[in-house]
Amino acid sequence: MKRLVTGVEAALQQALATADLAAYDGPLVVGVSGGPDSLMLLDCLARVGPAERLVVAHLDHALRPTSADDTALVARAAAERGLRFVAERADVGAQAREGRQSLEAAGRAARYDFLARVARAAGAAAVVVGHNANDQAETILLHLLRGAGVGGGRGMSIAAPLPGSPDLWLLRPLLGVARADIEKYCALAGLQPATDASNADPSFTRNRLRHELLPLLATYNPQIAQQLRETGALAAAEDELLSGLEDVAWREIALPSPPGQVRLGRAGWRRQPLALRRRLLRRAVAVCLPAVADIGFQAIEAARRTAEGTSSGGRAALPGGGGMGASFETVDLYRGAGARGHDRPQLTAPTPVALLVPGLVTLAGGWRLTAEPLPRPDLDAIAANADPWLATVALEPNAALLVRPRAPGERIRPLGLGGTTKLKEVMIDRRIPAPARALWPLVATEEHPVWLAGHILDDHARVRADSKQVVRLRCTPGNSE
């Protein structure tokens, strides 16, 4: 028993060091369900640390008629050791129904939310839980069955950010302790843990894995649990290496993005090795769709193939109502059907709209086109303008301006180039994404195009020294002021 206590103390110090908390001597919240694992963890920690450091936290999931007995058991255990105790009851069944989640997922979310609130109230930097070596083997196998990659194959870490609360740490000092040793410790220490009948319920995936699949695999390999943990250790080391490379690549290719969206430089992303291309897409999904868990291989592969294609305008669906689009220069991942596109000007409808001088036309996503008279134009300043979203044009007397989409086959006479070219070809050359071309705003008169917003002027609108009506056009996003 003394050996296990010493081992748990050493593992806790290792977990704190992993979390960059080696010198931390503040409060620790201990999540205690009343089962053997958490009760053994509590007993070990109480033996090696000052009582004022530990806060015992227990969440009653309200899933069994006897759940209140578990709360009383944990309360007694805390009182016997002179420890602070915090308990709460949550209707996990109702939360699962409301959120259309499994009981396991709802219970996990409720538990971590409760532990985070207790930690913040206590001023604690970390929460300690009793996940053990058998739990680790089960987790790795479960991830493999779900098709997880190297990141999932590593299993649980001895220290990791608390799910849903990245400012707090989740520590697991029992990951190297087998369930049989925990049960032996409880017997020797006189602990009487609660028995949760739901742990034998075959309707829960982890229970079937624990009681059916792992025993079956052990008939093929009696060391299956140990070898799963060893596989997890190998995967963890490789995942750390890839994570470092991923961080470097992310800093190189991640571009400023609108809210709810992640934008990657397409050329830079394509240059990455296959493993990093997949990881970068998975990371982008996690950023813009944080509620999506365990995104599958097929979804990432569909997005990858689209982004690797040679065309612009390709799209792929993502779980959770998100999507991915590939333009000439970027790969955009976004949540919600309308999230994409507000980073570029788009007409709200294909019908022409009059643009008065002075006046404005409102575009989709808060963008707008404005026109103002320029009675004393500076020809040198006009020639030196480098802002693609600002254009100075000359109009025939009394000419009216319209904002509309391009017409099929419509041509423009590019300023200073001579001859005409199709607006569609200009859009392709300028790498306007295919989905954005149909509603890209074109400023025009009744006779000819004037300005393809952000890109090109028609030579008919060239400003000369004798121009009678000069107008300044500006296209701006909704957050420009």
Side-chain angles (χ1 to χ4, degrees), residues 263 312-315 325-328 330 332 340-350 363-364 367 389 404-406 423-424 427-428 430-442 452-453 455:
R263 170 166 293 170
S312 170
R315 296 189 181 189
S327 68
F328 283 109
T330 64
D332 296 302
R340 188 170 185 261
H342 290 177
D343 59 311
R344 54 179 70 100
Q346 292 284 274
L347 298 167
T348 57
L363 305 175
W367 283 75
W389 300 106
R404 59 172 176 80
R406 67 175 176 87
L423 274 168
K424 179 179 179 180
M427 290 180 166
I428 294 173
R430 293 301 183 100
R431 298 191 170 185
I432 295 177
R437 295 172 197 162
L439 292 177
W440 197 276
L442 174 69
L452 182 65
H455 288 281

Side-chain angles (χ1 to χ4, degrees), residues 9-24 53 126 158-160 169 171:
E9 181 182 18
L12 176 63
Q13 295 306 316
Q14 179 188 350
L16 288 167
T18 302
D20 289 330
L21 295 172
Y24 177 74
R53 188 183 193 193
I158 194 170
W169 284 92
L171 311 181

Side-chain angles (χ1 to χ4, degrees), residues 53 61-62 84 109 122 155 184 206 208 232 257 289 316 337 426 438 447:
R53 188 183 193 193
H61 292 64
R84 286 176 285 174
K184 183 178 179 180
R206 185 176 284 270
R208 293 200 306 276
S257 308
L289 298 166
V426 171
E447 289 76 26

Side-chain angles (χ1 to χ4, degrees), residues 205-357:
T205 301
R206 185 176 284 270
N207 288 345
R208 293 200 306 276
L209 186 147
R210 177 180 299 170
H211 299 298
E212 299 173 9
L213 183 55
L214 272 170
L216 176 62
L217 292 174
T219 65
Y220 292 87
N221 179 356
Q223 303 300 317
I224 182 63
Q226 178 181 340
Q227 293 198 342
L228 282 169
R229 292 193 296 272
E230 291 171 354
T231 298
L234 292 172
E238 293 175 6
D239 188 51
E240 288 176 8
L241 173 63
L242 288 171
S243 293
L245 298 174
E246 175 191 321
D247 288 342
V248 172
W250 184 267
R251 288 192 294 270
E252 292 176 352
I253 70 172
L255 303 174
S257 308
Q261 188 171 334
V262 172
R263 170 166 293 170
L264 307 177
R266 194 177 184 189
W269 177 82
R270 281 174 164 173
R271 287 194 297 268
Q272 305 302 320
L274 175 60
L276 286 182
R277 294 200 297 277
R278 287 173 172 152
R279 289 179 71 99
L280 290 164
L281 289 177
R282 190 175 292 275
R283 180 169 179 167
V285 172
V287 171
C288 66
L289 298 166
V292 175
D294 297 327
I295 180 171
F297 176 81
Q298 295 298 332
I300 290 294
E301 283 302 278
R304 178 184 66 82
R305 287 193 293 268
T306 298
E308 287 177 355
T310 57
S311 64
S312 170
R315 296 189 181 189
L318 294 173
M324 189 213 74
S327 68
F328 283 109
E329 297 179 348
T330 64
V331 176
D332 296 302
L333 295 94
Y334 51 93
R335 61 172 178 262
R340 188 170 185 261
H342 290 177
D343 59 311
R344 54 179 70 100
Q346 292 284 274
L347 298 167
T348 57
T351 52
V353 179
L355 176 59
L356 302 178
V357 183

Side-chain angles (χ1 to χ4, degrees), residues 127-150:
V127 172
V128 191
V129 294
H131 295 138
N132 62 49
N134 293 71
D135 295 327
Q136 178 74 304
E138 294 163 7
T139 298
I140 292 169
L141 181 55
L142 188 63
H143 286 172
L144 292 174
L145 292 174
R146 289 175 175 170
V150 174

